[in-house]
Amino acid sequence: MTSEIRRTFYPLINCADPATAMEWLEKAFGFTPYGVHKDDSGKIVHAEMLYDTGIFMFGIGAPGTSAIYVAVDDPDAHHDRAKAAGAEIFRELTDQDYGSRDYAAHDQDGNEWYFGTYRP
């Protein structure tokens, strides 16, 4: 019997050209494209790639920067806890069009953390 993997942590990698990055990452490292989300003009704004049981997400951003997305069951409670602890919330809780409810915060060193219900 095969059970579905319930992932929690998803590294987020930023790149200038997600389409070119996906092609290169597949060729160089053997990553497999998993999900591609494009805007109305056909430009990739978010993508996911797999390797074995791991997955990472990436999109358009300053190359060389990264963040972590963490799937949580109750983003509202998680948001309130982070805010009470002094986290700098830079994107408030939002219901996304793809079904997730999430928010984003900086930790004390300025690292970006995204928390929400999305699980690719």
Side-chain angles (χ1 to χ4, degrees):
M1 172 187 251
T2 304
S3 62
E4 185 174 325
I5 296 170
R6 184 171 161 90
R7 296 174 181 95
T8 303
F9 289 89
Y10 304 86
L12 297 166
I13 308 301
N14 290 316
C15 54
D17 182 352
T20 300
M22 283 185 77
E23 183 179 313
W24 188 86
L25 290 167
E26 183 175 15
K27 180 179 178 181
F29 301 134
F31 296 142
T32 303
Y34 180 69
V36 176
H37 307 278
K38 299 177 180 181
D39 64 15
D40 293 338
S41 71
K43 187 174 185 179
I44 295 174
V45 294
H46 175 83
E48 299 155 4
M49 296 189 88
L50 296 172
Y51 187 83
D52 195 24
T53 61
I55 189 169
F56 69 93
M57 301 186 288
F58 64 97
I60 300 169
T65 63
S66 58
I68 297 291
Y69 181 90
V70 182
V72 297
D73 293 329
D74 186 348
D76 292 79
H78 197 278
H79 168 272
D80 294 348
R81 175 184 176 157
K83 198 168 192 168
E88 176 194 343
I89 309 297
F90 66 90
R91 190 178 75 207
E92 285 294 335
L93 275 165
T94 307
D95 291 325
Q96 303 296 335
D97 59 1
Y98 51 87
S100 182
R101 179 163 175 75
D102 52 42
Y103 77 97
H106 288 120
D107 64 19
Q108 70 279 12
D109 292 318
N111 298 305
E112 291 183 1
W113 293 84
Y114 297 81
F115 299 93
T117 58
Y118 180 68
R119 292 179 189 267

